[in-house]
Amino acid sequence: HRSVLAGEIGLLLVALFMILYYRFPGIIATVALIVYTLLSVALFKLIPVTLTLAGIGAFVLSIGMAVDANILIFERMKEELRAGRSYAAAIDAGFARAWPSIRDSNVTTLITCLILYVLGGGFEVPLLGTFDAPLVQGFAFTLAVGVGVSMFSAITVTRILLHLFVGTKITRHHDWFVPEPSTAAERARA
């Protein structure tokens, strides 16, 4: 119960940070993160997955990967907005520029999950005996499911939510997307 509580507190703190730092896109990322969490829990119930401590750790790690994908997208969007692109063009360019990093990190994690799952299933080590680690398999499986859902959440849900606001009054508030420098020295550097 304490691990689940720690995960919930961590999720709330991450959501708060994203909203304070990224402003409107942080709200969008928080909604996408909630969708991600609900989809993951639904999949865990459908498969069914028993969430051991290792599984909870994998789930929390996959939440971090979902947040990382949104951060990559939003940083690229901010660069595009600073360069003078429109909101819609910044969304498309931000996703296009962030996709290679998101893809590479998630594919690498999925390959690692496959290796952990295979090795956790049991194999004979000469002179040492049989190595069998079902908790490692559970961690690998839970992480792989979480990474798959996080890719869907970051690429599809976040993009759809951002595109819903194209042409609205919200997109006219440039400071809701790209915070203005607060000091004269920061404004001079910008």
Side-chain angles (χ1 to χ4, degrees):
H1 292 289
R2 287 184 180 181
S3 298
V4 172
L5 179 63
E8 291 170 352
I9 291 170
L11 187 62
L12 288 173
L13 289 174
V14 167
L16 182 64
F17 170 78
M18 286 192 310
I19 291 169
L20 291 175
Y21 189 79
Y22 287 105
R23 298 174 183 197
F24 182 73
I27 294 169
I28 296 292
T30 301
V31 171
L33 202 55
I34 291 168
V35 169
Y36 159 78
T37 303
L38 293 174
L39 285 173
S40 294
V41 170
L43 276 175
F44 293 159
K45 292 286 186 182
L46 282 172
I47 292 175
V49 173
T50 302
L51 283 179
T52 61
L53 194 54
I56 293 170
F59 180 61
V60 170
L61 181 60
S62 64
I63 289 172
M65 294 190 73
V67 170
D68 179 55
N70 282 311
I71 287 172
L72 287 169
I73 292 162
F74 296 151
E75 286 299 323
R76 298 298 183 259
M77 276 183 61
K78 281 174 30 177
E79 290 171 6
E80 298 300 323
L81 288 168
R82 282 186 183 121
R85 287 191 181 219
S86 69
Y87 174 75
I91 292 171
D92 294 334
F95 274 87
R97 291 183 58 208
W99 171 243
S101 297
I102 295 168
R103 178 198 61 219
D104 293 349
S105 68
N106 286 310
V107 167
T108 303
T109 302
L110 289 173
I111 290 169
T112 304
C113 289
L114 178 65
I115 293 168
L116 287 173
Y117 191 83
V118 169
L119 293 179
F123 61 93
E124 183 80 26
V125 179
L127 303 171
L128 296 177
T130 303
F131 177 76
D132 187 26
L135 286 178
V136 172
Q137 279 188 311
F139 175 86
F141 183 76
T142 306
L143 182 58
V145 169
V147 166
V149 175
S150 79
M151 281 182 69
F152 170 77
S153 169
I155 299 302
T156 306
V157 175
T158 302
R159 179 179 284 196
I160 289 170
L161 290 173
L162 286 169
H163 274 290
L164 285 175
F165 294 96
V166 170
T168 65
K169 292 180 181 179
I170 291 172
T171 60
R172 294 187 200 122
H173 294 278
H174 192 70
D175 60 321
W176 290 4
F177 297 90
V178 182
E180 297 299 323
S182 57
T183 65
E186 288 175 336
R187 283 192 294 274
R189 276 187 263 136

